[in-house]
Amino acid sequence: MEKIDSNLIFNIQSNTEFEDLAFKIFDYQFTHNKIYKKYASLILKGKTPKKIIDIPFLPINFFKSDKVIISKKQSQITFKSSGTQGIRSNHHIADLDLYKSSFRKNFINTYGKIDNTCIVGLLPSYEENGDSSLIYMVDCLIQMSKDINSGFYNNNFKKLEAILKQNENKQIKTIIIGVTYAILDFAKKFPMNLNNTIIIETGGMKGRRKELLKEEVHKILCSCFNLKNIHSEYGMTELLSQAYSKKEGIFHTPAWMKVLVRDIYDPLSVTSKKTSGAINIIDLANIYSCSFIATNDTGTLISKSNFKLNGRVNNADIRGCNLLLEE
């Protein structure tokens, strides 16, 4: 298998279709991804996975130490993690269109068409580091928007305040996608009532503020902006798909992404049952790197497509993206 039709990925209609494609991608990556094959072979010991939970999940730290990409594939772009904790993860993207298709379809499915929506990026630290998959995604969403005020506002809080007030008066739908510390800084300086604005926090203080529980952050922001709910995005450099939470910290995955949990003390004990543990992710859009990743996050499965974040695996590197921890 040298190429998988992306339509198969982004038009999955059932769990059976998901699992059938997951096994096909596993076979492809086991055959053509040297890093994954080496790791998976040690786990499988000659056995063939029969169930989804039997497929080996590559520890996410391999993206820091190795080049995780299908053999003979060239990288079109390399996304890098924030680097707030030292060594940066590198995700070598062989097909940028896959990433575009993934985040566009998922975002539109979650928030509707954005042609006439004002998309605001509030991601200063990501722009400082560069090579960010999140910056790339938000920039593309801004380009998709036809609103003249869509753009990155980062440190221009005064201008952002004026745009938000204008949009509220004109009842223009606005979506702010921002790193947590920047949204908190803006909220503190410019509290206002927002009725037509959605705030999506991507998590992380990037060393700029004391880390807070996600519930604390949302409570502060709801108070400052008179909102009922703050939305969240769960994604990472090593993935090409995201999960979104609209309320109560419950994240929903797209049809081509699935979250499983593993026993923290037995990493090979994986389940799809409603329980808590360390998070394993299947991201079928990751065709040309690795679709089966064991993260350092912990969470609770609520249903086949919904989960909550709980924290981090002890002694794991704290990634600034998408998770808020209490010091």
Side-chain angles (χ1 to χ4, degrees):
M1 183 193 307
E2 290 301 326
K3 187 173 179 62
I4 297 175
D5 185 355
S6 62
N7 288 323
L8 295 176
I9 296 172
F10 303 122
N11 289 292
I12 290 173
Q13 299 295 319
S14 68
N15 189 60
T16 298
E17 289 183 9
F18 178 94
E19 293 197 358
D20 287 346
L21 189 54
F23 277 110
K24 289 178 182 178
I25 292 176
F26 163 74
D27 289 339
Y28 175 61
Q29 294 178 348
F30 186 80
T31 302
H32 298 288
N33 185 321
K34 293 180 180 179
I35 298 299
Y36 182 61
K37 181 174 184 177
K38 185 176 181 180
Y39 175 79
S41 294
L42 292 172
I43 302 300
L44 292 172
K45 298 179 180 178
K47 297 180 181 178
T48 300
K50 300 298 182 182
K51 302 177 181 178
I52 284 288
I53 59 175
D54 297 331
I55 293 176
F57 287 80
L58 187 73
I60 200 166
N61 286 346
F62 274 88
F63 283 85
K64 292 182 178 181
S65 59
D66 297 271
K67 187 173 183 178
V68 184
I69 191 171
I70 294 295
S71 300
K72 298 182 180 180
K73 286 291 182 181
Q74 299 297 316
S75 176
Q76 293 182 351
I77 189 172
T78 299
F79 292 130
K80 297 184 178 182
S81 60
S82 61
T84 54
Q85 298 297 320
I87 301 174
R88 302 173 73 180
S89 288
N90 292 274
H91 193 181
H92 302 279
I93 310 301
D95 187 347
L96 197 50
D97 285 339
L98 276 171
Y99 183 44
K100 293 178 182 177
S101 295
S102 180
F103 71 68
R104 285 172 176 169
K105 185 175 180 66
N106 189 22
F107 198 85
I108 290 172
N109 285 347
T110 305
Y111 293 104
K113 293 183 178 180
I114 62 173
D115 304 48
N116 299 314
T117 299
C118 181
I119 302 293
V120 171
L122 202 58
L123 302 160
S125 52
Y126 286 90
E127 286 205 317
E128 291 169 9
N129 281 314
D131 305 313
S132 164
S133 58
L134 181 60
I135 286 290
Y136 187 92
M137 180 184 81
V138 175
D139 185 54
C140 286
L141 294 176
I142 288 170
Q143 300 306 316
M144 289 170 63
S145 167
K146 296 178 181 178
D147 191 287
I148 60 172
N149 292 313
S150 291
F152 290 99
Y153 285 78
N154 296 342
N155 297 311
N156 199 342
F157 285 178
K158 193 65 180 177
K159 183 177 180 181
L160 177 57
E161 178 201 28
I163 293 299
L164 289 180
K165 287 184 175 180
Q166 173 185 293
N167 288 356
E168 287 293 327
N169 288 333
K170 295 183 178 181
Q171 297 186 338
I172 295 173
K173 181 180 177 181
T174 304
I175 298 177
I176 299 175
I177 305 172
V179 63
T180 305
Y181 78 84
I183 297 177
L184 285 170
D185 288 345
F186 176 74
K188 184 177 180 180
K189 294 179 181 179
F190 299 102
M192 65 182 81
N193 291 335
L194 297 177
N195 298 306
N196 300 288
T197 301
I198 294 171
I199 293 179
I200 305 175
E201 56 91 6
T202 67
M205 296 300 187
K206 305 298 181 184
R208 311 294 178 96
R209 276 172 167 258
K210 176 183 178 180
E211 297 288 350
L212 300 172
L213 290 172
K214 190 176 287 288
E215 290 79 7
E216 292 180 85
V217 172
H218 287 201
K219 184 176 180 180
I220 293 169
L221 294 179
C222 283
S223 176
C224 288
F225 296 125
N226 195 26
L227 290 169
K228 290 184 178 180
N229 296 293
I230 300 298
H231 296 211
S232 299
E233 180 255 8
Y234 179 78
M236 57 187 71
T237 302
E238 301 85 356
L239 301 177
L240 292 186
S241 303
Q242 306 79 32
Y244 291 98
S245 166
K246 291 187 174 182
K247 62 179 181 179
E248 299 176 352
I250 299 175
F251 287 89
H252 182 78
T253 59
W256 57 91
M257 178 183 181
K258 186 182 290 291
V259 169
L260 307 175
V261 295
R262 68 183 187 274
D263 189 314
I264 293 176
Y265 303 105
D266 181 5
L268 301 185
S269 178
V270 180
T271 182
S272 58
K273 296 179 180 179
K274 299 177 183 178
T275 187
S276 298
I279 290 176
N280 283 4
I281 294 177
I282 301 176
D283 180 8
L284 298 186
N286 264 14
I287 300 171
Y288 301 119
S289 56
C290 183
S291 291
F292 312 94
I293 297 174
T295 78
N296 292 327
D297 298 326
T298 64
T300 301
L301 283 183
I302 297 174
S303 69
K304 289 183 178 179
S305 58
N306 295 294
F307 69 99
K308 293 191 76 169
L309 291 175
N310 296 336
R312 299 281 288 173
V313 177
N314 288 337
N315 301 320
D317 293 335
I318 295 178
R319 178 176 48 248
C321 191
N322 306 314
L323 197 60
L324 305 165
L325 298 174
E326 186 176 31
E327 290 186 338

